[in-house]
Amino acid sequence: MKAIYSGPSTVPTTLAGHSVSDNTTNNNQDSTGLKEERNDANSATQLKLLEAGTDAMDKGNTAGTNQSSTDASVTTVGHKQRHQETAKKKQNAKATESSYKVSLSIAKTRKAHSIGETLVKPAAKIMTEIMLGEKASKEVNKIPLSNDTVKKRITSMAENVKVQLVSQLQQSLYFSLQLDESTDIGNEANLLCFVRYIYCGEVHDEFLFCRPLPTNTTGEAIFNVANDFIAQNELSWSRCVGISTDGETAMTGKLRGLASRVQNIVSQVKVTHCGIHREQLAVKHMPTCLKTVLEEAVKIVNFIKGKALNTRLFTVLCEEMGSEHTKLLYHTEVRWLTRGKVLSRLFELREEVQIFLYARHDLYNRMHDTQWLTKLAYLSDIFMRLKLSRLEPDIPTVVRQQKQYHSSH
């Protein structure tokens, strides 16, 4: 019976034809292979991670570039929009300015408000199209010149002028008023007021207001209209130092006139009778010889101007004689300052009038009378001097115009 060895076994030197050294070598090789495989795997993983990171960076850079391009394009669009809005605002401002200036010209010429749309704009388009082209002509359409727009522009400018004038009056220590009641062509009574005041060390004369008198034209009604304007614009009667009127009872009445009502508020106010009206009253009481010449001169003018046929015949006569003027001027009682022009024109055309009146009018002989013509020239000179001294208060200008007038005669 064989004994069984139960002790520690010893590894044989060889086993199935393989030695121990071979196994060790193989094991080393296997471990080295595994390490290399692991290293290769790690390298591949790192490479993949690196490639993935690179791709991510490229995508990030691409996204950043795209975002920058988008931001740049948005910024460019914003600049363009702001530039277009600025250009549009400038264009609208120019159109509005043009509208105001055209409206001011319409107001100065006292034309109908509709003329802006019916005449001014079409004429401007025609001229612009011929001179600058069709594109420039289309820009004229942007100028608002309708009837209502012109009215609003004129009202706005008038209100602005009124605000400036009232502001200057509020800063002035003293002012004086000149008032006159007048009836227009529609039989409407209006109160006109001019003001003289001191501003920045200079004396200014301005038109203050024109307001209707709804019912009566008494001193009370006139005072109420003037007082309403003073109160509404925060002015004070205490700064009023003078009032000039035309001398009517409603203005200068001691008890109920405008002047007395103002003096009840400010006792130091001085009331003055308008110089032009005083001269008109003086003219009504001129010497009989001069008044007769004036009346006869008016009859001659009315005979020629009163009939259309006489006017045409007289015009043809003046043209054939080579006269500087071909028409006489009408005499108006209200505009008495124009008498100088009326008489002066009659004196200049005295030869033509003499020929025309031959066998037509009883005053034909007046054109032969030297004394009558001398008085006519005297009246013409007097009325021209009155007009120049009243309408042109600048003394050098008056003297120059008088010299021109005398040299032409």
Side-chain angles (χ1 to χ4, degrees), residues 135-407:
K135 184 177 180 181
S137 177
K138 292 181 179 179
E139 296 295 323
V140 179
N141 289 327
K142 298 179 182 180
I143 303 175
L145 289 175
S146 65
N147 183 32
D148 294 338
T149 301
V150 172
K151 179 182 177 181
K152 291 178 181 178
R153 298 281 190 260
I154 295 175
T155 304
S156 175
M157 288 185 287
E159 188 65 27
N160 182 265
V161 171
K162 174 186 173 184
V163 170
Q164 294 183 46
L165 177 57
V166 170
S167 176
Q168 294 180 4
L169 279 176
Q170 291 173 346
Q171 300 177 45
S172 177
L173 295 177
Y174 306 104
F175 64 86
S176 60
L177 301 176
Q178 182 179 14
L179 300 102
D180 185 25
E181 178 271 322
S182 179
T183 304
D184 59 18
I185 193 173
N187 288 330
E188 297 291 337
N190 299 286
L191 179 63
L192 292 86
C193 181
F194 293 82
V195 62
R196 174 175 290 178
Y197 61 97
I198 300 175
Y199 181 74
C200 293
E202 297 180 356
V203 178
H204 299 266
D205 292 310
E206 299 290 347
F207 177 74
L208 187 57
F209 66 83
C210 175
R211 291 196 168 187
L213 296 169
T215 54
N216 299 326
T217 58
T218 60
E220 181 181 2
I222 294 174
F223 173 78
N224 290 336
V225 172
N227 188 55
D228 289 343
F229 182 88
I230 296 294
Q232 291 173 5
N233 294 279
E234 299 180 355
L235 300 175
S236 176
W237 282 111
S238 61
R239 297 182 180 181
C240 182
V241 296
I243 293 179
S244 177
T245 65
D246 58 358
E248 292 185 359
T249 305
M251 295 290 187
T252 59
K254 293 182 179 181
L255 298 177
R256 299 181 180 180
L258 169 68
S260 61
R261 294 176 184 274
V262 176
Q263 286 177 334
N264 291 335
I265 301 175
V266 186
S267 59
Q268 69 269 21
V269 172
K270 293 184 179 181
V271 181
T272 306
H273 191 181
C274 177
I276 296 179
H277 287 86
R278 281 187 290 181
E279 291 172 359
Q280 183 182 15
L281 294 175
V283 168
K284 291 182 179 180
H285 300 283
M286 69 174 63
T288 306
C289 59
L290 295 178
K291 188 174 182 181
T292 302
V293 172
L294 177 61
E295 292 175 351
E296 291 177 346
V298 171
K299 288 181 181 179
I300 293 174
V301 173
N302 291 340
F303 174 76
I304 298 176
K305 294 285 292 183
K307 296 182 180 179
L309 177 60
N310 290 344
T311 302
R312 294 195 299 269
L313 293 176
F314 184 75
T315 301
V316 173
L317 176 63
C318 293
E319 291 176 351
E320 291 178 351
M321 295 182 65
S323 304
E324 182 180 358
H325 304 289
T326 59
K327 294 181 180 179
L328 296 174
L329 301 177
Y330 254 131
H331 169 260
T332 305
E333 186 67 26
V334 176
R335 298 181 178 179
W336 65 274
L337 283 174
T338 61
R339 290 176 182 173
K341 288 186 176 181
V342 175
L343 300 178
S344 176
R345 181 67 58 86
L346 178 61
F347 186 80
E348 292 175 4
L349 298 177
R350 59 188 181 277
E351 295 181 1
E352 291 82 354
V353 173
Q354 177 184 346
I355 296 174
F356 184 82
L357 292 181
Y358 179 74
R360 283 192 177 96
H361 201 279
D362 297 337
L363 295 176
Y364 160 74
N365 294 328
R366 296 294 185 271
M367 296 293 107
H368 294 281
D369 191 346
T370 305
Q371 291 186 356
W372 192 91
L373 291 175
T374 303
K375 294 176 182 178
L376 177 66
Y378 173 77
L379 287 174
S380 173
D381 187 47
I382 289 296
F383 283 114
M384 288 299 294
R385 284 176 176 270
L386 289 174
K387 179 183 178 182
L388 293 175
S389 62
R390 289 302 172 188
L391 301 185
E392 299 288 345
D394 185 12
I395 300 302
T397 304
V398 173
V399 173
R400 185 173 62 254
Q401 291 184 353
Q402 288 179 349
K403 288 182 179 178
Q404 293 176 355
Y405 172 76
H406 289 299
S407 62

Side-chain angles (χ1 to χ4, degrees), residues 32-47:
T32 302
L34 290 173
K35 290 180 180 179
E36 291 178 353
E37 289 179 358
R38 288 174 183 173
N39 292 333
D40 292 341
N42 292 334
S43 299
T45 302
Q46 292 177 358
L47 181 61

Side-chain angles (χ1 to χ4, degrees), residues 102-156:
V102 173
S103 300
L104 179 60
S105 299
I106 293 174
K108 286 182 176 180
T109 55
R110 293 178 289 183
K111 300 296 183 181
H113 297 168
S114 58
I115 196 175
E117 195 171 26
T118 58
L119 179 61
V120 176
K121 182 183 283 189
K125 289 177 62 178
I126 293 173
M127 291 184 288
T128 306
E129 184 175 1
I130 294 174
M131 300 296 294
L132 303 176
E134 185 177 357
K135 184 177 180 181
S137 177
K138 292 181 179 179
E139 296 295 323
V140 179
N141 289 327
K142 298 179 182 180
I143 303 175
L145 289 175
S146 65
N147 183 32
D148 294 338
T149 301
V150 172
K151 179 182 177 181
K152 291 178 181 178
R153 298 281 190 260
I154 295 175
T155 304
S156 175

